[in-house]
Amino acid sequence: MTHEDIEATKAPLMEHLIELRSRLIKALLAFAVTFVLCFFFAKQIYNVLVWPFVFVAGPEHSKFIYTALLEYFVTQLKLAMFGAAFLSFPVVASQLYMFVAPGLYRHERHAFLPYLVATPIFFLLGSMVVYFVVMPMLVRFSLGMQQMGSDGQAEIALLPKVGEYLSLMMGLIFAFGVAFQLPVILTLLGRVGIITSDQLRSKRRYFIVLAFIIAAVLTPPDVLSQMSLAIPLLLLYEGSVWSVRLVERKAKADAAAAAAKPAE
């Protein structure tokens, strides 16, 4: 590469860096705005997250505590950051897509866009499973371990801390949201030809073991949480096999149509 070639690449590189800075600023502004909004409504959002506990235990038996002076305030900050990351994701993803899209061919942009849209949808599905299924089961199981006080027997009651409850909820939502990306990832890999539906079917027995290992790593150390993640993973895997098969059929149809055009 000559000195003239290096000089010729400086302007485009600077333009890309300026555009990248602009995209990053917009993404950070979106995160900052949603952070302030979530912090302003942090108590209301926390009450929404506590609903699975209240639904199972009942309002009269629902009591949360905090044992440090700033614990509830720090919990609200964590909640605002978590909510901001969730709400600002469409803006961040769109800025990333608009930065990358000019370097892609039209068919590549059309192929990539559905997966970008499907990612938050499947994350939301995973979050709904946590909110409506997993957390109520965990709460019911935990409340069932309480012990009434009597002669010679101490009372053992569940008094959840605000910070620990939020950490558990965020951890489960993140774990299930990431795990529910399985169809998106496998379908994308199938589209680019890295894997096939036949390979997925042949590796099914290995994935069954892997699903329980993933559930054991990502969820709290109890059987209910692990089963609640492992079973949906197995169902998502079967759905991925079907999705990859559809992608393969479409690719064969497109290839046959392209081969038939010159003959016409």
Side-chain angles (χ1 to χ4, degrees):
M1 179 179 290
T2 64
H3 179 73
E4 289 75 12
D5 295 331
I6 297 176
E7 290 295 325
T9 60
K10 285 185 177 180
L13 177 61
M14 289 302 298
E15 291 177 3
H16 289 312
L17 291 176
I18 292 173
E19 183 182 3
L20 177 61
R21 183 185 64 178
S22 174
R23 301 297 182 191
L24 289 175
I25 290 174
K26 291 178 182 178
L28 290 175
L29 282 176
F31 180 84
V33 171
T34 51
F35 175 83
V36 173
L37 184 65
C38 289
F39 184 76
F40 185 77
F41 294 101
K43 292 183 179 180
Q44 290 80 357
I45 297 174
Y46 193 88
N47 288 331
V48 173
L49 294 179
V50 168
W51 177 85
F53 189 97
V54 178
F55 174 77
V56 175
E60 66 279 4
H61 301 294
S62 300
K63 181 180 180 180
F64 287 75
I65 64 171
Y66 57 95
T67 57
L69 293 177
L70 297 177
E71 181 179 352
Y72 191 32
F73 175 74
V74 174
T75 299
Q76 292 181 31
L77 287 177
K78 292 180 180 179
L79 179 59
M81 292 183 64
F82 184 74
F86 190 82
L87 294 177
S88 64
F89 177 81
V91 177
V92 175
S94 63
Q95 293 299 317
L96 175 64
Y97 176 76
M98 285 187 287
F99 177 74
V100 176
L104 302 175
Y105 292 106
R106 179 176 297 178
H107 70 278
E108 291 176 334
R109 290 198 297 268
H110 292 166
F112 180 71
L113 188 58
Y115 298 98
L116 189 63
V117 174
T119 298
I121 293 176
F122 277 91
F123 192 96
L124 181 61
L125 288 176
S127 304
M128 292 175 64
V129 171
V130 172
Y131 190 77
F132 292 106
V133 179
V134 178
M135 281 304 297
M137 285 196 308
L138 282 177
V139 172
R140 189 172 289 108
F141 175 77
S142 300
L143 290 174
M145 299 181 66
Q146 295 183 114
Q147 177 177 287
M148 299 295 295
S150 61
D151 294 338
Q153 183 173 281
E155 179 182 359
I156 301 177
L158 174 64
L159 292 175
K161 297 178 64 177
V162 291
E164 292 178 354
Y165 181 87
L166 179 63
S167 297
L168 177 61
M169 178 68 82
M170 290 193 305
L172 287 174
I173 288 177
F174 180 77
F176 276 72
V178 172
F180 270 59
Q181 301 305 314
L182 183 67
V184 180
I185 296 173
L186 292 181
T187 305
L188 181 60
L189 293 177
R191 189 181 184 92
V192 299
I194 296 178
I195 61 173
T196 64
S197 58
D198 293 333
Q199 290 176 335
L200 292 177
R201 284 195 297 267
S202 65
K203 304 298 182 182
R204 182 182 286 115
R205 68 185 69 177
Y206 302 108
F207 183 79
I208 294 175
V209 178
L210 181 62
F212 283 92
I213 294 176
I214 294 174
V217 172
L218 295 181
T219 60
D222 63 89
V223 177
L224 285 176
S225 299
Q226 295 171 7
M227 292 294 292
S228 300
L229 179 56
I231 293 175
L233 275 178
L234 297 177
L235 296 177
L236 290 170
Y237 186 82
E238 296 299 325
S240 301
V241 175
W242 176 77
S243 178
V244 172
R245 188 183 301 119
L246 289 181
V247 168
E248 291 173 345
R249 290 177 181 175
K250 186 177 184 302
K252 290 180 180 178
D254 293 341
K261 279 185 179 181
E264 296 175 359

